[in-house]
């Protein structure tokens, strides 16, 4: 990956370019860093040796997205989701997805009240600010689809009446690989609503030894206390929305997503929603780094977690055992970088 520290700059609102409507003030940057550092330290006290996974989870939170954790059993997917949820002083609900789970268990339903002689709406588990969906691919496709409206429109419609979900709202779902027994692959429309997908991966030997010390006696989740309020998160989200992204960097994001649609190795490329999610995540990543503008580095760093899970390789690509992650990485390496202001296109190598 190419660094842009020496370019003044692709992405920065300098020179003759139109200035953004809002610029971070030092106090805002300090406040953002303080809140994020508290949440990060809280989560990492439970999840050892996975700082990048924690960073992407925080990025998705501040970008108003949803996170999908996909990996083999026992590597800490649910632990990460719970640690993030417990670190925030928000309403939290956990849904254990099983084959007999009904859509109404997720969204809620209208129940007839015999005393009032009228129907009363009983909210389902989705009515929380942080929803932890454990093993989402063990539920039937009918139940999985109950999340579609809430994840995209942040509301639930029951019998023609729409109910708004609380803010902030984030779904953190876990799933085992689809080849595991007793699972239902998520449909394309469902995967596309997740801003990012990450894998926890096995810990290093040192991290696993530390895990034995921390988790050997009792679960550290039991003592985990909230370190940020919902109002803090909403303020940080407003700051992230104000992060500047220059036109060349916007074009770079569009070109990168467009490259997935023309790749001969893919039968389904990324959607326009993927472009929007990539830009939102890049804004959050820039804010986490203390910048009020997005650089191409932010786009490159997030390309795999934001784009790979939305792609469908061709049969030939699958037979050659090439993954979507490898394809996105190669597209990033081949795509020309944005031009510096008034200069030629940047080339690698």
């Amino acid at each position: 990956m190419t660094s842009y520290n020496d370019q003044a700059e692709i992405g920065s609102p300098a020179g003759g370019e139109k200035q953004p409507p809002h610029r971070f003030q030092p106090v805002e940057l300090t406040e953002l860093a303080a809140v994020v550092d508290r949440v990060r330290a809280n989560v990492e006290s439970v999840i050892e040796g996975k700082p990048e996974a924690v960073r992407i989870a925080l990025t998705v939170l501040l970008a108003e997205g949803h996170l999908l954790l996909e990996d083999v059993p026992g590597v800490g997917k649910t632990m990460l989701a719970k640690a993030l949820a417990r670190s925030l002083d928000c309403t939290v609900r956990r849904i254990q997805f099983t084959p007999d789970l009904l859509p109404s268990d997720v969204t809620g339903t209208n129940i007839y009240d015999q005393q009032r002689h009228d129907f009363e709406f009983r909210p389902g588990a989705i009515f929380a600010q942080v929803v932890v969906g454990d093993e989402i691919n063990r539920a039937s496709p009918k139940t999985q689809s109950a999340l579609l409206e809430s994840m995209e429109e942040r509301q639930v419609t029951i019998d023609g009446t729409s109910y708004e979900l609380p803010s902030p709202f984030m779904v953190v779902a876990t799933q085992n690989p689809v080849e595991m027994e007793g699972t239902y692959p998520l449909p394309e429309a469902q995967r596309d609503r997740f801003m990012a997908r990450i894998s926890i991966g096995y810990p290093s030997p040192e991290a696993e030894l530390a895990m034995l010390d921390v988790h050997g006696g009792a679960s550290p989740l039991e003592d985990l206390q909230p370190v940020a309020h919902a109002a803090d998160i909403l303020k940080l989200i407003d700051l992230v929305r104000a992060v500047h992204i220059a036109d060349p960097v916007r074009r770079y994001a569009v070109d990168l997503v467009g490259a997935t649609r023309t790749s001969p190795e893919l039968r389904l490329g990324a959607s326009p929603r993927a472009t929007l999610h990539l830009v939102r995540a890049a804004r959050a990543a820039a804010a986490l780094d203390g910048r009020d503008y997005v650089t191409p580095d932010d786009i490159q760093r997030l390309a795999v977690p934001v784009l790979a899970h939305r792609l469908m390789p061709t049969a030939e690509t699958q037979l050659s055992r090439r993954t979507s992650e490898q394809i996105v990485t190669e597209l990033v390496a081949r795509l020309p970088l944005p031009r510096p202001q008034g200069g030629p296109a940047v080339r690698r190598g």
Side-chain angles (χ1 to χ4, degrees):
M1 182 180 295
T2 304
S3 176
Y4 299 86
N5 293 333
D6 57 342
Q7 297 180 28
E9 292 197 350
I10 305 175
S12 67
E17 187 176 344
K18 182 180 178 181
Q19 296 293 316
H22 172 79
R23 297 297 304 276
F24 285 174
Q25 301 298 322
V27 64
E28 293 175 329
L29 289 175
T30 302
E31 182 179 353
L32 186 150
V35 174
V36 170
D37 286 345
R38 290 201 305 268
V39 177
R40 180 189 291 116
N42 217 38
V43 176
E44 289 183 352
S45 69
V46 176
I47 305 296
E48 292 83 11
K50 297 297 177 183
E52 186 59 25
V54 175
R55 176 187 169 85
I56 292 180
L58 292 173
T59 299
V60 173
L61 172 66
L62 298 183
E64 303 177 271
H66 308 290
L67 181 65
L68 179 62
L69 304 172
E70 179 182 286
D71 215 323
V72 296
V75 294
K77 302 185 300 296
T78 306
M79 187 74 72
L80 173 58
K82 286 183 175 180
L84 178 63
R86 293 194 181 189
S87 297
L88 308 176
D89 188 16
C90 301
T91 55
V92 179
R93 299 290 294 273
R94 180 179 182 272
I95 307 174
Q96 179 64 53
F97 283 82
T98 57
D100 60 347
L101 189 72
L102 298 175
S104 58
D105 296 329
V106 176
T107 61
T109 187
N110 285 319
I111 298 178
Y112 187 74
D113 189 330
Q114 294 184 351
Q115 293 182 348
R116 296 172 49 203
H117 301 288
D118 195 5
F119 284 94
E120 179 184 1
F121 176 65
R122 298 289 179 86
I126 199 66
F127 283 84
Q129 291 169 309
V130 179
V131 178
V132 178
D134 201 13
E135 296 188 288
I136 187 174
N137 59 334
R138 290 199 180 277
S140 67
K142 183 178 182 180
T143 302
Q144 291 175 6
S145 65
L147 291 170
L148 293 177
E149 181 186 11
S150 60
M151 293 176 67
E152 179 64 18
E153 302 177 39
R154 300 176 186 270
Q155 67 176 26
V156 170
T157 301
I158 304 294
D159 295 338
T161 303
S162 296
Y163 302 90
E164 187 175 352
L165 293 172
S167 185
F169 174 70
M170 180 184 187
V171 174
V172 184
T174 73
Q175 71 168 1
N176 296 325
V178 295
E179 65 267 22
M180 302 296 286
E181 183 178 356
T183 60
Y184 300 85
L186 292 179
E188 292 79 11
Q190 184 85 51
R191 295 200 308 269
D192 198 42
R193 280 166 169 77
F194 285 100
M195 177 172 285
R197 180 189 67 180
I198 60 174
S199 297
I200 303 297
Y202 291 112
S204 65
E206 293 76 13
E208 199 160 3
L209 283 172
M211 180 193 70
L212 295 178
D213 294 333
V214 175
H215 298 259
S219 173
L221 275 175
E222 298 175 0
D223 300 324
L224 210 62
Q225 298 297 322
V227 294
H229 297 280
D232 298 328
I233 302 303
L234 289 174
K235 185 174 182 180
L236 298 187
I237 287 173
D238 286 338
L239 291 177
V240 167
R241 290 173 179 169
V243 171
H244 178 67
I245 178 167
D247 288 340
V249 183
R250 292 174 186 267
R251 171 59 63 180
Y252 180 65
V254 170
D255 290 344
L256 179 57
V257 174
T260 66
R261 302 169 190 162
T262 58
S263 172
E265 296 184 282
L266 300 172
R267 59 189 178 95
L268 178 66
S271 67
R273 184 189 286 121
T275 312
L276 182 61
H277 284 179
L278 183 59
V279 169
R280 286 179 177 174
R283 281 193 166 108
L288 288 177
D289 286 341
R291 285 181 282 107
D292 63 349
Y293 61 92
V294 177
T295 70
D297 273 337
D298 300 317
I299 302 293
Q300 288 184 328
R301 187 166 51 187
L302 292 164
V304 170
V306 173
L307 300 181
H309 65 287
R310 310 169 192 264
L311 309 179
M312 294 183 64
T314 63
E316 293 78 8
T317 303
Q318 293 176 322
L319 288 174
S320 62
R321 297 184 179 276
R322 285 174 53 75
T323 65
S324 298
E325 288 80 2
Q326 292 173 325
I327 296 172
V328 172
T329 300
E330 293 176 4
L331 290 176
V332 169
R334 291 200 303 261
L335 190 67
L337 301 174
R339 297 173 181 269
Q341 293 181 6
V346 179
R347 298 287 180 180
R348 295 175 177 81

